[in-house]
Amino acid sequence: MAVARLMTKPTEPTGSTSPRAPETVVAYTPLRKQPLPAGRPREWYVTHNRRLKAMRLAIALLDSGIHYPATADNTCIRSTADRIGIHPPSDTTCRMVRALIRYGR
């Protein structure tokens, strides 16, 4: 099946025969963080932040080529945390990272 490609014409003639300069790729900038909702028990905030840290670490481990929970021991997870610039995770967070890797397959 043929696919049509939409081409747009420039609004003004450039007067130049040289090709256009390539567009610059803008680096990814994270979104501004929203404040957490008020009025929840402290334990909710602790587990919420623990899940966020575990997700960041799991993504970093998967990007670095660690795809099996057996190869992600605590020292590997903590060294990854140091490499991406977050505080070393607790044993509970390391367990959560391994669970995310295991069940994300």
Side-chain angles (χ1 to χ4, degrees):
M1 173 169 51
V3 177
R5 186 171 177 202
L6 180 62
M7 300 290 288
T8 59
K9 293 184 178 182
T11 55
E12 298 177 8
T14 59
S16 169
T17 57
S18 63
R20 291 186 185 178
E23 294 182 24
T24 57
V25 177
V26 179
Y28 170 75
T29 55
L31 298 173
R32 190 175 61 84
K33 290 186 178 180
Q34 301 271 337
L36 292 174
R40 306 232 178 172
R42 177 174 170 75
E43 187 60 31
W44 183 89
Y45 297 105
V46 170
T47 56
H48 175 77
N49 289 332
R50 189 183 305 272
R51 284 186 192 123
L52 290 178
K53 181 185 262 190
M55 282 191 278
R56 282 189 208 106
L57 286 167
I59 291 167
L61 286 168
L62 290 170
D63 286 345
S64 67
I66 297 176
H67 299 286
Y68 296 102
T71 58
D73 57 349
N74 288 356
T75 56
C76 176
I77 294 171
R78 288 187 177 119
S79 66
T80 302
D82 186 44
R83 190 174 62 238
I84 64 174
I86 59 177
H87 289 287
S90 65
D91 291 342
T92 305
T93 307
C94 290
R95 239 184 342 263
M96 196 177 284
V97 169
R98 283 190 288 276
L100 285 171
I101 293 173
R102 179 179 305 116
Y103 296 119
R105 303 188 85 231

